């Protein structure tokens, strides 16, 4: 049961009206979210795996709007082709065949938003991704990316880039051996002997799903455009994850494009 | 004062009379002494003494009658090898009366030296001098005779002794007890009866009326009942507790749960503890790559590893998982494996058993329940067990739905004494809609989550050929037990602590 700390102030922001902890705790129960404890820091709660959209405050607030009668139906997201392309190479077919992507523009992300996005990623990796196998998500600062992007697989020792939070380049093999995420998720790629990669037109590695992104495209508070990539072994799961992220980012202030 | 009829008369039961007389003779006696002398049971003496106290004729108090000293383990060691101060001066003497501290430590051990120095100095046996940063010990007086403490050690090494027996040595004994517990002194307490002044006076006067505790036919026939006093019952008098047989609290609770179901027209079903993954998970539409099936939640059998899955049914379940199987659902969209379904596990819920039953009994109405063991591969702690009981009920009939389910549950819990119940939406993989049940506990003043419920999904019922809605609900027996018996650590239920089993009562739920 994924856990989430629901903060009334943050819910109020997405809800468009003030809501207190007591009232919120009761409403959460009506949504099927199990409340453990109301603390000054927020409401400790757990949501069920059938509602991955509850992985963000935006998602919860969206459902609350319905319950409170403030707004019904799916939100309108304005969506249009961006002109960006992801070219899929045959080499990923065996290891990690599916990829979907979106570009969200016009964002002004605060520290809270970024922390929430990271938490969402982890939750979705578990709930939808069955621990990153079916779904792996990458979030990138689009200003550092030049389209078109290629999605391909390369032998592990031919891969070399600076991983997220790292300061020097590492090979694919080194990443799998030395980094925590490498050791944890290496089992998903090792049997195939190759590393799936997203590479942009400048030749920069954007990410090595499902293991780790590159440090080049890290999303920060100065990011105004986010490129989302979701790769995996199940097209439906991958699309669902993208959907949830796009809606969340939309509510956090962006207008997305395909 | 009980028992007084007027200022001059006191009525005494024959036993009270004998006890009082003895107590007066001895001035002071323990229950045990009186029992021995009078040939009575200690209980009877106790009862008589309490009543004498009530009548102000004697005083009963608990006092220390004996103090028994015995050697602790360390004490035994010292008795055998000698006290540290003795060993210290022995070694000093062997070296001509002088030695360096460090040297001594090297020979007889630092700890022995450190302790030995304290006592040897205190006894005036040694002197300590320092020169050139070295510490020197000088033997001043070698104790030829054993010290009092050493005598005590020798005596006690043969066996425990009454402090009184030790006579002059008893203070040395107490000193040893204070000294790092070399001797343990156990106090033996007994109840002692001391007659009060009134009691003493009374014994001198013979005027006592006979008090009887039983009105016999003989007393009535002879008319003697007019001249005797009937003693009053003292329902508060202490007596030895008698333990009649008693059900284990869990057995008692299981029985109550069974009765609640049976009264509602349900029939009990039982099934195997070792179950096929097919019935435990697949038939219940739980996908094969669901985390709960992985090693950390389920116990898989090492041997035999697999069992036989019913063929025709397996294909229909496969269809449900892979594409919804004609129920209108999309299914889970993955490759279903019959090998995975044929694995043998320890069942993780009794829903496996009830669904087995449903597969064989498809004509409405079906009302069955189960209270039986299930197993989860979880770490045992104060709120979780790996082996416990599930209570489960299912009801299948034409046209039943969520509101009927809520009604049945309210009635079921009411029969267990839990009258305030509320429902919250929730999720289980095999039911839709699903809900969780909270009960209000007046004693705690709060709502507590107790169980879950739902209507089985068509992906579960259709492959089995069940055409009507199936309502289901369940809760943990132990979870209910800790609420009803006010237990804080769930493991308490299985610790088999006799005093807990004997004394625990259900809380008042009214």
């Amino acid at each position: 049961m994924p856990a989430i700390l629901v903060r009334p102030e943050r819910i109020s922001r997405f809800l468009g009206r003030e809501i207190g902890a007591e009232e919120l705790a009761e409403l959460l129960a009506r949504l099927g979210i199990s409340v453990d404890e109301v603390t000054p820091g927020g409401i400790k709660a757990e949501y069920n795996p059938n509602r991955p959209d509850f992985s963000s405050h935006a998602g919860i607030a969206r459902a609350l709007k319905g319950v409170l009668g403030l707004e019904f139906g799916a939100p309108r997201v304005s969506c249009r082709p961006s002109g960006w392309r992801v070219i899929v190479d045959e080499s990923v077919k065996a290891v990690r065949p599916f990829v979907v992507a979106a570009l969200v523009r016009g964002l002004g992300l605060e520290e809270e938003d970024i922390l929430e996005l990271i938490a969402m990623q982890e939750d979705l990796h578990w709930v939808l991704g069955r621990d990153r196998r079916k779904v792996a998500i990458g979030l990138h600062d689009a200003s550092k990316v030049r389209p078109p992007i290629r999605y391909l697989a390369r032998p592990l020792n031919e891969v070399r880039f600076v991983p997220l939070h790292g300061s020097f380049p590492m090979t694919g093999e080194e990443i799998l051996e030395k980094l925590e995420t490498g050791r944890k998720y290496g089992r998903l790629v090792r049997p195939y002997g190759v590393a799936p990669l997203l590479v942009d037109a400048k030749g920069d590695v954007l990410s090595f799903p499902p293991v780790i992104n590159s440090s080049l495209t890290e999303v920060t508070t100065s990011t105004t455009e986010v490129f989302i990539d979701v790769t995996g072994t199940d097209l439906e799961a991958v699309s669902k994850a993208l959907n949830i992220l796009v809606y969340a980012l939309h509510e956090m202030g962006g207008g997305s494009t395909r | 004062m009980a028992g007084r009829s007027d200022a001059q008369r006191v009525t005494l039961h024959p036993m009270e009379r004998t006890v009082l007389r003895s107590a007066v003779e001895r001035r002071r006696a323990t229950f045990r002494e009186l029992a021995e002398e009078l040939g009575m049971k200690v209980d009877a003496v106790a009862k008589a003494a309490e009543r004498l106290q009530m009548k102000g004729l004697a005083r009963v108090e608990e006092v220390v009658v004996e103090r028994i000293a015995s050697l602790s383990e360390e004490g035994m060691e010292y008795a055998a090898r000698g006290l540290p101060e003795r060993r210290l001066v022995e070694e000093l003497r062997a070296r001509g009366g002088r030695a360096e501290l460090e040297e001594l430590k090297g020979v007889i051990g630092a700890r022995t030296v450190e302790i030995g120095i304290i006592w040897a100095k205190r006894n005036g046996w040694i002197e300590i001098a320092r020169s050139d940063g070295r510490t020197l010990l000088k033997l001043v007086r070698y104790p030829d005779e054993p010290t009092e403490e050493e005598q005590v050690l020798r005596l006690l090494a043969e066996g425990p002794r009454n402090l009184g027996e030790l006579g002059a040595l008893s203070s040395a004994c107490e000193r040893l007890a204070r000294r790092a517990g070399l001797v343990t002194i156990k106090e033996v307490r007994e109840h002692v009866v001391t007659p009060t002044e009134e009691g003493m006076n009374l014994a001198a006067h013979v005027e006592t009326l006979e008090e009887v505790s039983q009105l016999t036919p003989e007393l009535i026939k002879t008319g003697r009942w007019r001249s005797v006093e009937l003693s009053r019952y003292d329902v508060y008098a202490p007596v030895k507790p008698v333990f009649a047989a008693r059900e284990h609290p869990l057995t008692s609770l299981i029985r109550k749960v069974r009765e609640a179901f049976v009264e509602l027209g349900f029939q009990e079903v039982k099934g195997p503890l070792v179950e096929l993954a097919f019935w435990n998970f697949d038939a219940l539409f739980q996908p094969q790559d669901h985390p709960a099936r992985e090693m950390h939640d389920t116990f898989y059998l090492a041997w035999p590893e697999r069992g036989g899955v019913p063929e025709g049914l397996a294909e229909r379940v496969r269809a449900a998982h892979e594409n919804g199987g004609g129920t209108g659902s999309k299914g889970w969209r993955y490759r279903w494996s019959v090998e995975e379904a044929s694995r043998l596990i320890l069942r993780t819920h009794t829903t496996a058993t009830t669904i087995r039953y449903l597969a064989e009994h498809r004509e409405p109405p079906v009302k069955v329940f189960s209270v039986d063991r299930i197993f989860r591969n979880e770490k045992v702690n104060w709120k979780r067990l790996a082996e416990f009981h599930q209570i489960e009920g299912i009801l299948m009939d034409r046209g039943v739905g969520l509101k009927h389910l809520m009604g049945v549950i309210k009635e079921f819990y009411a029969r267990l004494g839990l009258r305030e119940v509320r429902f919250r939406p929730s999720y289980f993989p095999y039911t839709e809609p699903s809900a969780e049940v909270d009960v209000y506990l007046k004693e705690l003043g709060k709502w507590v989550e107790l169980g879950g419920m739902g209507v089985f999904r068509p992906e579960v019922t259709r492959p089995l050929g069940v055409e009507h809605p199936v309502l289901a609900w369940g809760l943990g027996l132990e979870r209910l037990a800790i609420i009803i018996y006010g237990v804080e650590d769930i493991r308490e239920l299985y610790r088999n602590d006799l005093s807990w089993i004997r004394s625990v009562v259900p809380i008042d739920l009214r």
Side-chain angles (χ1 to χ4, degrees):
Chain A
M1 303 298 255
I4 186 168
L5 183 69
V6 184
R7 297 206 312 274
E9 332 79 69
R10 195 164 165 80
I11 292 283
S12 303
R13 170 186 155 192
F14 293 113
L15 201 54
R17 79 143 222 226
E18 280 300 313
I19 189 164
E22 294 293 313
E23 193 192 346
L24 183 55
E26 260 189 56
L27 287 172
L28 289 178
R30 278 170 62 184
L31 288 179
I33 294 176
S34 173
V35 171
D36 279 333
E37 208 189 323
V38 179
T39 75
I43 300 173
K44 288 187 177 168
E46 287 184 353
Y47 63 90
N48 289 303
N50 66 325
R51 291 300 298 266
D53 57 319
F54 286 160
S55 52
S56 72
H57 283 72
I60 295 176
R62 199 182 309 128
L64 283 175
K65 280 184 184 170
V67 166
L68 289 170
L70 299 174
E71 194 184 309
F72 298 113
R76 297 253 175 81
V77 178
S78 80
C79 204
R80 57 180 199 284
S82 61
W84 283 41
R85 277 167 53 220
V86 177
I87 302 164
V88 184
D89 187 77
E90 270 231 43
S91 50
V92 296
K93 191 161 173 186
V95 57
R96 203 165 183 82
F98 300 107
V99 59
V100 292
L103 187 60
V104 183
R105 296 197 158 119
L107 288 167
L109 295 171
E110 287 158 27
E111 195 63 49
E112 284 198 328
D113 297 323
I114 296 183
L115 289 172
E116 177 143 79
L117 285 170
I118 295 173
M120 274 181 85
Q121 273 189 277
E122 278 175 35
D123 276 1
L124 292 173
H125 281 158
W126 177 254
V127 170
L128 285 177
R130 303 275 198 248
D131 204 17
R132 292 201 194 184
R133 176 172 45 88
K134 279 177 153 189
V135 171
I137 299 161
L139 295 173
H140 310 272
D141 184 329
S143 67
K144 307 284 184 357
V145 179
R146 178 141 37 106
I149 294 121
R150 282 173 303 136
Y151 178 47
L152 43 77
R154 280 274 165 280
L156 282 167
N157 48 16
E158 279 179 33
V159 175
R160 206 175 149 79
F161 66 96
V162 181
L164 192 61
H165 304 313
S167 35
F168 54 86
M170 293 171 82
T171 64
E173 194 57 59
E174 283 173 331
I175 289 175
L176 291 189
E177 250 168 71
K178 301 202 180 135
L179 295 183
E180 206 190 311
T181 53
R183 284 198 292 269
K184 221 173 155 192
Y185 299 107
R187 61 189 162 82
L188 295 171
V189 291
R190 267 201 208 283
Y192 305 95
V194 291
L197 298 172
L198 282 146
V199 182
D200 80 345
K202 328 186 229 80
D204 288 321
V205 171
L206 304 178
S207 79
F208 169 7
V211 180
I212 195 163
N213 282 357
S214 103
S215 67
L216 181 71
T217 55
E218 186 177 356
V219 171
T220 65
T221 48
S222 31
T223 305
T224 57
E225 297 188 348
V226 171
F227 172 69
I228 310 172
D229 79 80
V230 187
T231 60
T233 55
D234 183 317
L235 184 56
E236 201 178 312
V238 147
S239 306
K240 251 194 210 170
L242 183 67
N243 198 300
I244 291 170
L245 282 162
V246 165
Y247 269 100
L249 276 170
H250 161 79
E251 262 130 23
M252 288 188 209
S256 75
T257 52
R258 199 140 42 87
Chain B
M1 283 287 190
R4 290 231 154 173
S5 17
D6 67 56
Q8 305 287 46
R9 257 182 0 146
V10 176
T11 53
L12 289 180
H13 188 280
M15 286 222 250
E16 289 168 38
R17 199 170 50 210
T18 23
V19 167
L20 180 61
R21 210 179 286 149
S22 276
V24 165
E25 260 169 42
R26 289 165 167 258
R27 294 281 159 141
R28 202 169 125 107
T30 66
F31 284 178
R32 213 168 26 92
E33 287 168 341
L34 289 170
E36 247 178 72
E37 184 194 314
L38 301 171
M40 284 166 71
K41 284 213 174 118
V42 176
D43 281 352
V45 172
K47 207 156 82 165
E50 296 281 329
R51 286 158 87 165
L52 286 172
Q53 179 162 240
M54 261 170 58
K55 294 175 184 178
L57 301 173
R59 214 174 37 245
V60 175
E61 20 180 34
E62 203 184 8
V63 296
V64 177
V65 290
E66 253 194 324
R67 298 173 74 203
I68 307 214
S70 54
L71 287 183
S72 67
E73 235 180 86
E74 219 186 336
M76 290 292 263
E77 221 189 283
Y78 285 163
R81 300 167 74 196
L83 287 168
E85 56 269 33
R86 170 64 62 179
R87 292 176 64 199
L88 181 67
V89 292
E90 289 283 352
E91 191 61 35
L92 258 184
R93 189 170 69 156
R95 285 160 183 271
R98 278 172 202 277
E100 238 182 272
L101 180 65
E102 290 311 311
E103 240 184 278
L104 287 173
K105 278 190 183 175
V107 174
I108 55 177
R111 192 159 179 269
T112 310
V113 170
E114 275 160 21
I115 301 175
I117 284 190
I118 302 172
W119 295 98
K121 185 129 198 321
R122 227 182 260 191
N123 296 342
W125 297 348
I126 62 169
E127 254 176 35
I128 308 177
R130 269 177 244 277
S131 79
D132 304 327
R134 296 175 306 164
T135 315
L136 279 169
L137 296 182
K138 200 164 80 165
L139 183 60
V140 163
R141 178 172 66 81
Y142 179 81
D144 295 302
E145 298 297 318
T147 62
E148 284 188 336
E149 282 88 346
E150 289 174 314
Q151 290 177 53
V152 170
L153 274 182
R154 199 181 308 160
L155 279 174
L156 291 183
E158 292 162 11
R161 293 289 188 104
N162 198 318
L163 261 193
E165 273 176 61
L166 290 174
L169 291 176
S170 59
S171 43
C173 185
E174 286 181 334
R175 282 202 296 277
L176 278 177
R178 281 197 293 274
R179 180 171 158 175
L182 297 178
V183 167
T184 38
I185 300 184
K186 212 164 62 163
E187 290 181 342
V188 178
R189 290 164 170 267
E190 279 200 47
H191 286 95
V192 161
V193 186
T194 324
T196 58
E197 221 182 284
E198 237 182 283
M200 301 283 275
N201 288 335
L202 192 69
H205 301 97
V206 178
E207 175 78 86
T208 50
L209 267 183
E210 199 182 335
E211 196 179 89
V212 292
S213 53
Q214 263 192 329
L215 183 60
T216 62
E218 202 252 322
L219 281 172
I220 296 176
K221 275 199 284 193
T222 59
R224 253 191 353 122
W225 62 269
R226 289 189 188 88
S227 54
V228 294
E229 281 287 317
L230 293 167
S231 56
R232 300 160 70 119
Y233 277 114
D234 178 9
V235 294
Y236 295 105
V239 282
K240 235 163 115 175
V242 172
F243 295 109
R246 189 204 158 143
E247 270 183 331
H248 189 287
L250 280 180
T251 309
S252 175
L253 185 58
I254 292 177
R255 194 168 38 78
K256 288 204 183 82
V257 168
R258 253 192 205 119
E259 277 168 14
F261 273 114
V262 167
E263 283 171 9
L264 291 173
F266 284 72
Q267 196 184 331
E268 187 169 5
V269 295
K270 283 202 179 277
L273 298 179
V274 171
E275 186 56 278
L276 284 167
F278 179 76
W279 289 111
N280 199 90
F281 295 119
D282 299 277
L284 291 168
F285 199 54
Q286 213 151 321
Q288 290 177 334
D289 62 355
H290 196 272
R293 280 170 97 143
E294 278 146 37
M295 291 318 217
H296 59 271
D297 258 330
T298 308
F299 286 109
Y300 285 89
L301 256 65
W303 183 89
E305 264 186 60
R306 300 202 139 79
V309 174
E311 270 181 42
L313 186 50
E315 285 315 300
R316 293 202 293 279
V317 167
R318 171 197 298 280
H321 281 242
E322 290 185 352
N323 53 50
T327 58
S329 152
K330 287 194 289 191
W332 290 112
R333 309 290 202 80
Y334 72 105
R335 258 280 139 70
W336 188 81
S337 142
V338 73
E339 281 78 38
E340 187 61 39
S342 66
R343 292 178 80 175
L344 286 171
I345 65 172
L346 289 179
R347 72 177 170 203
T348 63
H349 48 188
T350 49
T351 321
T353 306
T354 45
I355 202 74
R356 256 185 193 266
Y357 184 86
L358 206 55
E360 306 273 307
H361 299 84
R362 298 189 288 267
E363 287 305 304
V366 166
K367 290 165 76 170
V368 293
F369 77 96
S370 168
V371 183
D372 215 344
R373 282 196 189 227
I374 62 173
F375 307 85
R376 301 256 172 106
N377 192 352
E378 302 235 37
K379 236 186 171 161
V380 175
N381 61 24
W382 62 275
K383 59 176 175 178
R384 249 201 328 251
L385 299 166
E387 182 181 337
F388 52 107
H389 292 75
Q390 188 176 349
I391 299 170
E392 172 159 344
I394 65 169
L395 193 162
M396 183 267 275
D397 206 351
R398 297 188 161 86
V400 292
L402 189 61
K403 66 180 180 191
H404 301 96
L405 182 54
M406 286 161 69
V408 171
I409 289 193
K410 278 208 168 113
E411 191 56 44
F412 170 75
Y413 279 108
R415 277 157 204 263
L416 296 175
L418 298 159
R419 297 209 152 72
E420 279 185 71
V421 164
R422 74 176 181 197
F423 307 97
R424 275 181 294 110
S426 184
Y427 169 75
F428 301 107
Y430 33 89
T431 50
E432 186 63 40
S434 318
E436 272 170 9
V437 186
D438 295 336
V439 297
Y440 187 73
L441 295 176
K442 274 200 196 69
E443 274 220 4
L444 299 178
K446 63 176 188 173
W447 289 94
V448 171
E449 187 194 313
L450 196 50
M453 66 189 216
V455 182
F456 274 152
R457 303 183 74 110
E459 296 98 326
V460 173
T461 52
R462 288 285 175 74
L464 301 179
V466 173
E467 285 171 11
H468 304 283
V470 181
L471 312 175
W473 77 99
L475 62 148
L477 176 80
E478 286 77 1
R479 189 145 167 70
L480 181 63
I482 61 180
I483 290 173
I484 287 192
Y485 293 115
V487 166
E488 278 175 17
D489 183 330
I490 203 169
R491 297 168 290 189
E492 193 73 40
L493 298 171
Y494 288 104
R495 236 188 273 275
N496 293 335
D497 181 296
L498 272 185
S499 63
W500 178 77
I501 294 179
R502 278 174 173 159
S503 60
V504 69
V505 284
I507 63 173
D508 192 354
L509 293 167
R510 277 172 300 131

